[in-house]
Amino acid sequence: MNDLLIKNGNICLPSGMVKKDLYIRDGKVSKIGDINEKADEVIDASGKLILPGLIDGHTHMDFPFMSEVTADDFYYGTMAALGGGVTTIVDFITPSKGENPLDAYERWRKKADPKVVSDYSLHCILRSGDKTSLDAVKPLIDRGVISFKLFMAYKNELLLDDESLYDAIKEIARHGGVTAIHAENGAIVDKRTEELLADGKIDPVYHYFSRPEIVEIEAANRIAAIASMIGRDVTLYMVHTSTYESVDIFREYRKKGYKFYNETTPNYLTYDYSVLEGEYGYRYIMSPPFRTQAEIDGLWSRLAMDEIYVMGSDHCVYSDEQKKRYMDKVPPFNEVPNGTPGTETILPLLFTNGYMKGKISMEQLVSVSSTNPAKLFGLKNKGNLLPGYDADIVIIDPKKEFTVSYKMLHSNIKYSIFEGEKLYGFPEITILKGKKVMENGRILASAGSGKYVPGEISK
Ligand code: DUC
Ligand code: ZN
Ligand code: ZN
């Protein structure tokens, strides 16, 4: 028997916050109430908030992209996760060109299993609509990979044409899976990139001008139209939504009974594209890009109206050297690998800029960062602190302020894109299935102690 008692904390349950004790036995939440039983370990959580561990539904660890492999492998990346109270990540299997997605699944498991310190689940990128890719959908679902990402950008690499998108969405829906979509009009991005470069506009800020809001909005409209032709059985999930207009498009389809959902990242809620103009602008190059203040405000208001379903970080980390392609000056914007760190700062950014500023409630914070991704990705035992669920728990001291520095974070890079920000809500303790795995910034779990969690399709 192995039990843990967390006393006197404010627990965030689906029904609201309650000041109670939480009793954990054999890795599961066992009871909530006024509990006086003995336990192997007791944590006094007076004055603290207790939330379900976060589920970051969008990470790229050990990810080969734009001729670089991300700096965070599954060890560094899941340490960063635990540091931020994320107890489960959902990472993207990325087949190489021509590789059978089933072989890529095996490769991803081999990369992740010996290294993870958090739990993890998997999506799979389909980089083609050919028979091999479509035939892999059902066997992947049987292995617990129930969501598939399709790209409308990155020509000759990941982009699928409309016909392939249609075929892939149909096959995924036939087996009850989720289609995740990268919605940007890749052809127009390439065109605008060529035009900007021809005019000598090479600085990082032109990354934003190469992919303006309308590039995403057009793709969101198009994919919603294509998916709606297939029918109401399709579950469509727009990842890293950077514009409120895309949220509105999906909301209108939802009103007609379509299962269309949006994810956004804390990045898009925090900074506008002027970050690309600073000395370290290249560090902020990700796609879609940072937007305008109007988009930031629009996304917050949609979050407050429960119109954004999931908060994923799109954690995709490159070192300064990789971002600069090992040169001592910044290369043209289109050569900088796209991606930013994020998993470790989801909770403090939402807590400080959302909850503390009265924009969202604690219940909303927990829904988008834990309960909803658990539901969507079929992680049946996660995302909630009711009895019977995995005891994946974050304890935060709501009064403790942190000044962000890369030195307190766990990614394998020497910068943070939030350097110097004063944030509340970094966890004091992270617990995975009843075991303390992080305390005051120290990771207590060893490589390989996390587990693969297969997604299950709800019947
Ligand atoms: N966008 C990024 O910024 N990085 C990885 C892939 C993507 O779509
Ligand atoms: Zn993407
Ligand atoms: Zn991504």
Side-chain angles (χ1 to χ4, degrees):
M1 193 178 76
N2 190 330
D3 49 17
L4 169 67
L5 178 59
I6 307 177
K7 293 281 291 174
N8 306 317
N10 278 302
I11 308 171
C12 193
L13 295 176
S15 52
M17 302 295 295
V18 290
K19 191 162 183 299
K20 292 279 177 207
D21 308 325
L22 186 69
Y23 184 72
I24 293 152
R25 174 165 285 185
D26 296 332
K28 300 270 182 200
V29 176
S30 168
K31 280 190 269 192
I32 295 169
D34 299 314
I35 301 166
N36 288 310
E37 282 172 51
K38 285 207 161 63
D40 297 326
E41 187 176 357
V42 179
I43 297 174
D44 178 12
S46 307
K48 310 282 163 74
L49 296 182
I50 300 181
L51 322 178
L54 273 66
I55 295 169
D56 184 352
H58 192 147
T59 71
H60 302 276
M61 311 303 179
D62 206 339
F63 173 49
F65 185 57
M66 294 184 75
S67 325
E68 294 290 339
V69 176
T70 48
D72 274 0
D73 64 4
F74 281 91
Y75 182 54
Y76 282 100
T78 54
M79 285 201 292
L82 294 184
V86 172
T87 44
T88 307
I89 60 164
V90 193
D91 200 76
F92 287 90
I93 300 167
T94 310
S96 328
K97 261 192 192 161
E99 184 183 27
N100 187 318
L102 291 169
D103 296 333
Y105 162 83
E106 296 296 341
R107 252 184 342 106
W108 239 253
R109 290 291 312 270
K110 282 204 185 94
K111 293 205 275 190
D113 282 344
K115 291 192 177 170
V116 282
V117 293
S118 73
D119 279 356
Y120 79 103
S121 193
L122 292 169
H123 318 278
C124 185
I125 290 174
L126 296 184
R127 58 191 307 163
S128 156
D130 66 6
K131 185 166 170 3
T132 311
S133 298
L134 299 193
D135 283 352
V137 167
K138 174 70 171 73
L140 280 168
I141 290 177
D142 294 340
R143 287 162 177 74
V145 180
I146 69 164
S147 37
F148 299 86
K149 184 173 177 187
L150 312 178
F151 281 77
M152 300 170 84
Y154 303 115
K155 199 164 56 184
N156 303 325
E157 285 297 324
L158 297 164
L159 182 146
L160 300 192
D161 59 20
D162 289 353
E163 193 185 342
S164 307
L165 291 168
Y166 183 91
D167 290 342
I169 297 171
K170 197 166 173 186
E171 183 64 9
I172 296 162
R174 195 160 78 88
H175 300 290
V178 176
T179 297
I181 190 78
H182 178 120
E184 286 188 300
N185 185 322
I188 301 298
V189 170
D190 293 348
K191 197 90 225 150
R192 289 180 67 93
T193 301
E194 268 172 37
E195 288 170 357
L196 288 161
L197 295 177
D199 279 354
K201 295 177 171 161
I202 62 169
D203 291 344
V205 72
Y206 293 108
H207 177 70
Y208 167 71
F209 291 103
S210 71
R211 324 171 89 99
E213 288 77 0
I214 192 70
V215 157
E216 175 183 289
I217 297 164
E218 183 279 328
N221 253 316
R222 179 158 38 105
I223 201 64
I226 292 173
S228 73
M229 286 183 238
I230 297 165
R232 288 180 174 76
D233 288 343
V234 171
T235 302
L236 184 66
Y237 175 68
M238 181 169 163
V239 294
H240 48 51
T241 307
S242 67
T243 66
Y244 69 82
E245 292 91 335
S246 301
V247 179
D248 292 352
I249 292 165
F250 274 36
R251 181 230 293 132
E252 291 310 307
Y253 277 92
R254 255 195 324 280
K255 280 192 197 158
K256 295 182 201 150
Y258 291 95
K259 296 182 282 180
F260 293 179
Y261 304 99
N262 295 89
E263 167 201 277
T264 192
T265 80
N267 287 3
Y268 301 134
L269 295 165
T270 308
Y271 293 141
D272 66 22
Y273 75 88
S274 65
V275 289
L276 292 163
E277 291 169 324
E279 183 185 355
Y280 299 108
Y282 61 91
R283 289 177 178 167
Y284 295 81
I285 288 187
M286 68 179 294
S287 294
F290 285 80
R291 296 296 185 195
T292 59
Q293 190 59 45
E295 294 296 348
I296 297 176
D297 296 341
L299 287 173
W300 275 115
S301 76
R302 271 71 182 169
L303 198 55
M305 291 188 285
D306 297 322
E307 289 177 356
I308 293 175
Y309 197 63
V310 169
M311 195 62 55
S313 71
D314 202 357
H315 187 84
C316 182
V317 178
Y318 296 101
S319 67
D320 257 346
E321 293 75 19
Q322 290 178 305
K323 284 264 183 191
K324 290 163 108 173
R325 298 285 190 186
Y326 309 94
M327 300 188 300
D328 48 16
K329 64 177 178 37
V330 179
F333 70 86
N334 63 316
E335 291 174 26
V336 177
N338 289 195
T340 54
T343 197
E344 198 157 4
T345 42
I346 300 173
L347 178 54
L349 287 168
L350 286 185
F351 187 77
T352 311
N353 299 330
Y355 172 69
M356 288 177 71
K357 293 188 179 158
K359 291 181 183 161
I360 55 169
S361 66
M362 271 319 280
E363 291 79 4
Q364 286 177 310
L365 186 156
V366 168
S367 294
V368 293
S369 62
S370 185
T371 316
N372 293 349
K375 281 190 209 154
L376 189 64
F377 302 126
L379 309 174
K380 300 261 155 85
N381 298 317
K382 309 246 180 224
N384 213 313
L385 289 180
L386 291 173
Y389 281 84
D390 283 356
D392 296 348
I393 296 171
V394 194
I395 303 180
I396 63 179
D397 178 347
K399 298 210 169 69
K400 188 155 178 202
E401 188 190 72
F402 295 79
T403 304
V404 179
S405 149
Y406 76 87
K407 291 184 185 148
M408 63 182 270
L409 303 176
H410 294 84
S411 277
N412 189 22
I413 49 168
K414 295 209 159 36
Y415 69 89
S416 162
I417 59 167
F418 302 108
E419 200 74 32
E421 291 287 350
K422 304 226 182 287
L423 296 179
Y424 294 80
F426 274 102
E428 215 163 57
I429 296 178
T430 305
I431 293 169
L432 177 63
K433 287 182 289 199
K435 279 212 177 88
K436 264 192 212 168
V437 283
M438 193 285 299
E439 187 161 20
N440 294 323
R442 237 166 49 85
I443 304 298
L444 307 172
S446 57
S449 57
K451 292 281 172 288
Y452 173 61
V453 188
E456 285 176 61
I457 289 182
S458 2
K459 296 284 171 236

